[in-house]
Amino acid sequence: MKVKIKQWSGVASWLWVANDENCGICRMSFNGCCPDCKVPGDDCPLVWGQCSHCFHMHCILKWLNSQQVQQQCPMCRQEWKFKE
Amino acid sequence: MNSGQTFVVPRELPAAWDAVTEALVSPGPSGPHSEESLSRALALLCSHSLGQCVEGWLLETMQVRLTSAVAPEFWAGLEQPENELEERDRARILLGAFRTLLGRLEPFLGGLEQLGAWQDEGPGGLCGPGALGLRERAFSVIRAILLFSPAAALQERVLEFYSRTFAVHMSREGEGQEGPPGADRGLCPGCATPPQHCWCQDALEELRELSHILSRLQLLERVSSEAVTSILHRLIEQRMERRCRGEYESSFLSDFQEWLERVLGWLSRVFVSEAGVGVPCPSVAQEGMAPEGVVGGEAGQPGSAVLQRWRCHMHQFFCRIYVNMRIEELFSIIRDFPESKPAIEDLKFCLDRTSQRQQLLTSLKSAFETRLLHPGVHTSDIITVYISAIKALRELDPSMVILQVACQPIPCTSAATREDTVRQIVASLTGDAEGCSDLANELSRADPVTLETQDSEDEGSDPEEWTPDPTDALTDKTGSKRRSSDIISLLVSIYGSKEIFIDEYRTVLADRLLHQLNYNTAREIRNVELLKLRFGESHMHYCEVMLKDVADSRRINTNIREEESRLAEEEQPPLALSAMILSSEFWPPLKEEKMELPPLVSRAMEAYTQRYEKLKAMRTLSWKPHLGSVTLDIELGDRTLTNLSVSPIHAAIILHFQDKSSWSLEELSEVLGVPQEVVRRKLALWQQQGVLREEAGGRYAVLETGASRERPERGVLLIDSDEEGDSNTTTQSEQREEKLQLFWAYIQAMLTNLDTMTLERIHSMLRMFVATGPVVTEMDVNELQAFLQRKVRDHQLIVSAGVYRLPKSNH
C-alpha cells in the first residue's frame, strides 16, 4: 500500500518566545495585545530590554515617555536599553 | 263649572256619550254619526268634563277585550296546529294568527287614531296626551297583555319562518347557500321543497305581510329580535366554519362584508315596514362596503336607523365569531406564518372591535405550552415557531405586548433547559441551518436596529405618536422600551446578554474556519460585518481577529511555499503542508488532544515552524496535531482511492500502515499516543472503506487486493458519523464548568478569610474581583446558587441559615 498525501492542512497557534506570559505593564498576555491595540502579533509587537525583560512595545514606550528623569525598566529598575 | 251642575244630567248627555264611544270602536270615520253631530256630542261631553273619561274608557275597553278574548284567541290559533303539519302550513298559521290579532285590534286602533286626532285638534277643550302619547299607551297595554307570558311556540314558529325566508332570500340573491340539505335532490334551494311545490314567492309575500302586521302593532322588535339574532348568529357561525376554518391564506373580510350586505337585504325585508314600505330591499344592500358600516345615504329614511343598528350588531357578531375561531387556531396560524398573513390581518381587524385580547393571550399561552414546550419538540422547531410568533404577532400587535406576555414561557423553558438553543440560533442566523433562512434574511435587513441604541431613550420618535401600553402589558421595570419587534434582538434577549450570544457565535465561527481550512472567508466576513452592525464593533472584535488570522495564514503560507519552491529538488519538503495559524488568545479554547504524528509529518511541521520563525522574529508555532484536514490518495494492490479527505488522526493511522502492514491496537495506541478506544473508533473508517480489516488476535492489516466491499463513489468527504457533531472547540458547558472551577478557588479563599458569607455577598465579591476576560464571566445569582448547592452536596461546603461556610475539616 502506498499513501500519497496531497495536502496536509494543519492548525497551529503562534506565540511569542518570551520568558514570561504576561506583559509586566498591562498584565495582558503577550500573545494577546496591549490595551490600546485590537490586533495581536505584528501590530502589537514585543520588545526586549537589555535587562532581558520584555513588554508590549506600546506599553513600554508609554512608560518611557512618562519618565521624566531617567528611563528605567519598570521591572528591575535598571536603565532601559532596547536589546540590539 | 260649579259643583251643583254635576248632579243635573242633561238629557242629551247619554246620547252624546253613546255617539262618541260608538264612533271610536267602530272602524272608519263614516259611522252612523256625521262629523258635526260627533263634534257636537264631543263638545257636550267636554263641557261636562267627561273628556278625560273617553280616553280612559277606550283603553279600559281595549284591555278587557284583549284579556278576555283577543289574547286567548291568538294563542289558541297559534297552538292549534299539530306537529304533523308541513312547515309551509305552520308559516300560514303563524301569519293567520297575527292576521286575526290585527283584525281584532283594528277597531281600537282606529278609535285611538280618532281620539288622538281629536285631542290634537283639541275641539271643545278635550285634552290628553295627544295622538302619539295615546298610541304609546295603547301599545304598551297590548304588549303587556299579549306577551305577558309568551309561549315557546311563538318563538319557535317565528324562528322557523324567518330561517326559511332567510334561505329564500339568500337563494334569490344568488347566494346559492352551498350545501343546503337536499339541494342535490333537485329541491328548491330556497324552500327545500320539490320545484313544483316551491313556495319561495309565497314565503316572501307572507314575510312581507307579517312584517306589516307586526310593525302596525309595534310588536316587530319584540317578536322578531330574538329570532333574528339567533339566526344571524347561527348562520355566520356556519358559514365561517365552512369557509374559514383552517384557511389562513386568504382574507375573508371583504367576502364576509359582501355576504353581510346581502343578509342586510333580508333584514330589510323583515323590518320592511319600518324601513319604509315599498322600498326594494336590495337597494339598501348596495350601499358602501365600508367595514365601519356607515351607510350615509340611507340616514334620512325611517327605519334605516333600525337597519343600521342591525348592521352594527351583525358586524359585532361577525367579529366576535371570527375572533373566537381564530383564537382557537392561532397556534396553527403562527406556525404557517408568512402564508397565513391574511388571517392575521383579518384577526387584527376584528380583534380591534372586540375585547378579547385577554382570551387570546390565555389561549395562545396554553397552546404554546401544550403543543410546543415539551421535551419531544426539537429545539430548532421551537426557535422556528418562536420566530414565526414574533413575526406574526408583530403584525397583530405592534406594541408587542401579546408577544411578550404569551411567548413568555418560550424563552424561559427553552433557553434554560436546552443547551443547543444558542447554537441553533447562531447557526440559523448565519444561514447554516437548513430550511431556516428567516434569521439570515433578518440579519441582512437594510436597517438593523442596533442593540446599543435600544437601551437608550429613543428620542427620535414623535411624542405625539406615543400610545400607552395596552392594559394587559406586563408591568415590568423595563417598560415598553425593551419590547422591541426586532427578531434578532428578541432572540438575543432570551439569553439575557449579548455576550453569551457572541461567545457562541465565536465558537461557531471557529468551528467553521477550522473545518473548511480553505481560507475562503467571504461569507464569514459578511456575517461578522452584519453582526457588527447589531452588536457593536467592540463585541465582534475577537471574531475580526479570527478572520484576520485566516487572511494572515494564507499570506504566510504563500510566503513559505515560495521559499520552498526556490529550494533545490532534493531539499523539497516531503509533504505539502499548509497551516492555519491562530492567535490563541482570541479563539475560543480549543480541545487539547495529544497525538504523535508520523515522523514524516512532524518533520514537515518542524520545517514549517522554522520558516515561520524566520519570517516572524521571536515568534514560534505550537501545532495542534489533531486539528486540520488531510487530502490523500491510497494506492492498493488492485485499486486506488483518490482525494480522500480525512482528519489528521485517520491520516496518521494509515501512514503507519504504509510502513508496516499489520498493527495491533496496543501498538497503534502507543505510537500515536492516543487511547486505544479512540484508535479503534478511528480505524472503523478505514475498515468501512475496505482498506483495513481486523484479523484474528485483534490485529489490523491492509487489504491489498480483492476488496469485496469496494465503494463506487470516490473522493467523498469522509468524516465518520461520530465525529460529525463533534466540534473542535470545547462546548459551552465545558467552558462554564471551567469558569466555575476558577470561581471555586476564589470562593474558598474568601470563606477561609471571612468564615461565613451569604449568597449575595459571595456574588458581589466575585463580581468585584474576577476580572472579565475573553471567556464570559457573567454569572447570575441563580447560577451561582446552583453551583454552591452542588458543592454542598459534595460536602465541600456547608450551608445553614442562609450563610455558607467551609466544613471544619477543610481548615
Side-chain angles (χ1 to χ4, degrees), chain B residues 688-706:
Chain B
Q688 269 170 27
Q689 287 301 306
V691 177
L692 299 180
R693 74 191 150 97
E694 193 173 358
E695 293 180 329
R699 295 188 74 82
Y700 290 85
V702 179
L703 256 177
E704 281 290 355
T705 53

Side-chain angles (χ1 to χ4, degrees), chain B residues 554-597:
Chain B
R554 176 158 59 179
R555 205 169 320 119
I556 292 166
N557 271 321
T558 352
N559 234 316
I560 290 177
R561 279 278 161 74
E562 246 170 52
E563 217 176 299
E564 283 171 351
S565 67
R566 280 198 296 273
L567 291 174
E569 190 67 46
E570 64 275 11
E571 283 177 56
Q572 286 287 330
L575 188 69
L577 177 69
S578 65
M580 180 74 82
I581 301 165
L582 319 176
S583 303
S584 51
E585 296 284 316
F586 292 79
W587 287 66
L590 299 173
K591 270 184 193 155
E592 283 299 337
E593 269 175 42
K594 289 274 179 293
M595 183 173 84
E596 286 298 325
L597 289 171

Side-chain angles (χ1 to χ4, degrees), chain B residues 120 350-351 356 363 395 471 482 501 504 577 608-609 636 800:
Chain B
D120 282 347
C350 295
L351 196 61
Q356 287 170 289
S363 147
E395 295 286 331
T471 46
R482 235 195 79 193
F501 203 78
E504 189 60 38
L577 177 69
Y608 193 97
T609 309
L636 290 162
S800 63

Side-chain angles (χ1 to χ4, degrees), chain B residues 599-662:
Chain B
L600 173 75
V601 185
S602 45
R603 268 203 310 277
M605 285 182 173
E606 271 163 40
Y608 193 97
T609 309
Q610 275 168 21
R611 291 188 201 292
Y612 180 82
E613 282 168 2
K614 229 182 275 172
L615 215 57
K616 308 270 179 188
M618 296 309 287
R619 277 197 266 171
T620 188
L621 290 180
S622 145
W623 290 88
K624 317 254 177 225
H626 59 290
L627 295 181
S629 83
V630 181
T631 313
L632 44 76
D633 293 351
I634 297 178
E635 287 170 28
L636 290 162
D638 58 349
R639 64 199 187 278
T640 312
L641 304 174
T642 50
N643 282 337
L644 296 176
S645 181
V646 294
S647 72
I649 187 162
H650 288 125
I653 290 173
I654 206 69
L655 277 173
H656 284 303
F657 275 94
Q658 191 180 18
D659 302 335
K660 186 176 128 188
S661 63
S662 172

Side-chain angles (χ1 to χ4, degrees), chain B residues 478-524:
Chain B
T478 45
S480 61
K481 252 178 287 162
R482 235 195 79 193
R483 277 198 308 276
S484 133
S485 58
D486 183 62
I487 294 179
I488 292 179
S489 6
L490 278 169
L491 282 174
V492 170
S493 73
I494 293 179
Y495 301 98
S497 77
K498 299 182 271 196
E499 279 75 17
I500 300 178
F501 203 78
I502 291 169
D503 220 49
E504 189 60 38
Y505 176 72
R506 197 156 64 103
T507 315
V508 169
L509 180 66
D511 261 354
R512 192 169 310 146
L513 293 177
L514 291 181
H515 265 303
Q516 56 182 29
L517 293 169
N518 59 1
Y519 309 116
N520 190 358
T521 53
R523 207 179 76 172
E524 321 312 340

